[in-house]
Amino acid sequence: MPKRLKFQNPVARSIPLLTMIATLLLPASVGAAWTEGDDRILSLDEAMVELGGDRSVSLRSSLPGDTPIVLMDGDGNSIQGSKALAVALVQSGLSLRADGDIVSSHAFTERERAERRRYPQFSIAPSARADDAINAGGAVLYGKTYAPPFRIEVIQGEIRLNQVTIYPAPGPSAAAPKATAAQIEAHQRNEALFAAYDAEKNARGAQAAREAVSAGIASDSRFQSSRWLDDGSLTVVMPDGTEETFRFDVEQREPDANNDSVMAEHLKSLADDLRAALERDYTVVAGASYVTTTSSMDAGSLRRRVDEILYSAEPEALKLARLHVITGHREAAADLLYLR
């Protein structure tokens, strides 16, 4: 959990030495990083300068130079290394290709993807049973903020907050297109990576598992290269230069939905965690493809800050970045911005 402009012409740019020097000589008010709480939001130009020092290829992008990059390091003084910045690019919906080009990770815009996550109209009126209501915390559901009281219940294999299903995530309201043969092959390829990692980790440990996965990718023509961002995150470069990032942490994966007892225990544990978060005055954040909690600020302050951001005169991209910081989730931020 997180503690959590007028745009330039979109012409291709690179960051040579003279540009780096010019950036360093700019006044603090020009091109300076934005902040949201204790976290920094960099411009793409700043991020490219920071990343460029560790790479043999020149970085470039056709995206606007003031595209915000969310760096959720909780430290307003310094970047925590180029790996953290590479993760920030991914979290901000961008991808760094092997040839140094920084591009959008998605074929559809943030607004278009949010529209697919739109939930049919529902009422979140407080339940008539007030004896077990939680009179603290907050909720952000499908792009809207709510104040207490709340009730968390497990009903028919689902976790519901005031009768709205928040887990398992129901998925986008618009049907996804039928999977192509290439997509099916990619899914099977990715599942094989996870299986190989798990088998090696169980036999020889996590470090050996990382080495085995890296070696397997290096010998597989379906991949170009790979690099570990941290102990559980691997970025893989495909032959066309696109990148995919995988999380190998077991705790990030879903339990076996076919095992009733395991699933029931998982639902109970997750419901208890959500109740505890509300009682601590945290905010539950849920949508069509996610459910999480944020303790970036108390729930009342979060609702007020959301309204301040949404009704500000700042550019849309910067609003999205700020909402990303305070919710801790990119899709939740987009839902708040586009689905209200």
Side-chain angles (χ1 to χ4, degrees):
M1 292 186 295
K3 207 186 66 166
R4 333 187 139 120
L5 319 171
K6 182 175 78 171
F7 285 84
Q8 302 172 2
N9 289 329
V11 295
R13 303 180 323 283
S14 62
I15 302 296
L17 178 61
L18 289 177
T19 302
M20 293 173 65
I21 294 173
T23 300
L24 293 174
L25 294 176
L26 287 173
S29 60
V30 179
W34 303 279
T35 60
E36 182 64 37
D38 292 332
D39 294 294
R40 288 207 294 165
I41 303 171
L42 305 182
S43 69
L44 178 57
D45 278 344
E46 289 174 308
M48 290 169 70
V49 170
E50 295 286 353
L51 276 171
D54 290 344
R55 298 183 179 273
S56 58
V57 296
S58 177
L59 299 184
R60 62 187 183 280
S61 180
S62 61
L63 298 171
D66 46 7
T67 298
I69 308 298
V70 175
L71 187 68
M72 295 175 63
D73 57 1
D75 182 350
N77 297 316
S78 63
I79 292 175
Q80 306 290 303
S82 60
K83 285 187 177 181
L85 194 49
V87 171
L89 287 175
V90 174
Q91 292 177 335
S92 299
L94 303 180
S95 178
L96 173 58
R97 292 183 172 177
D99 63 359
D101 196 14
I102 297 178
V103 299
S104 173
S105 300
H106 305 281
F108 299 98
T109 66
E110 298 273 9
R111 180 187 292 275
E112 289 169 333
R113 296 201 306 280
E115 287 290 345
R116 289 194 65 243
R117 296 190 297 268
R118 186 181 295 278
Y119 193 81
Q121 290 297 316
F122 60 79
S123 170
I124 192 169
S127 168
R129 288 175 51 194
D131 55 324
D132 59 352
I134 300 171
N135 290 296
V140 177
L141 301 182
Y142 297 89
K144 295 180 176 62
T145 56
Y146 297 94
F150 299 113
R151 288 182 63 229
I152 299 282
E153 302 172 287
V154 178
I155 300 175
Q156 298 178 347
E158 299 177 347
I159 296 178
R160 300 180 187 177
L161 191 159
N162 287 18
Q163 304 178 26
V164 176
T165 299
I166 61 173
Y167 184 88
S173 57
K178 185 177 180 180
T180 64
Q183 289 171 328
I184 293 173
E185 191 277 335
H187 175 74
Q188 294 171 341
R189 174 201 66 203
N190 297 345
E191 288 300 305
L193 280 180
F194 287 113
Y197 177 90
D198 290 340
E200 193 67 22
K201 181 179 179 181
N202 291 336
R204 299 171 53 207
Q207 180 60 36
R210 290 190 290 273
E211 293 172 354
V213 168
S214 297
I217 289 173
S219 63
D220 192 327
S221 61
R222 295 174 299 179
F223 306 105
Q224 180 174 308
S225 62
S226 66
R227 63 182 183 277
W228 289 92
L229 301 176
D230 54 43
D231 288 348
S233 303
L234 177 72
T235 290
V236 177
V237 182
M238 304 302 173
D240 64 357
T242 60
E243 296 187 355
E244 292 184 40
T245 299
F246 300 93
R247 292 299 304 269
F248 286 85
D249 316 65
V250 174
E251 59 268 22
Q252 297 290 333
R253 306 187 207 168
E254 295 293 315
D256 184 0
N258 295 317
N259 188 318
D260 291 341
S261 62
V262 170
M263 197 63 190
E265 180 60 30
H266 172 68
L267 290 172
K268 179 181 181 301
S269 176
L270 180 54
D272 288 343
D273 288 344
L274 292 171
R275 291 189 193 99
L278 289 172
E279 289 166 353
R280 294 189 185 102
D281 208 23
Y282 297 168
T283 299
V284 174
V285 182
S289 54
Y290 56 90
V291 57
T292 185
T293 61
T294 177
S295 58
S296 58
M297 59 186 73
D298 67 82
S301 296
L302 185 142
R303 290 192 294 274
R304 289 189 293 274
R305 183 61 184 138
V306 166
D307 285 340
E308 289 171 357
I309 293 170
L310 291 174
Y311 295 108
S312 74
E314 290 184 321
E316 195 171 87
L318 184 53
K319 289 182 182 182
L320 180 64
R322 291 193 186 281
L323 293 169
H324 181 174
V325 170
I326 66 174
T327 62
H329 200 284
R330 186 73 174 186
E331 291 184 0
D335 288 353
L336 274 167
L337 187 58
Y338 299 119
L339 299 187
R340 290 177 70 84

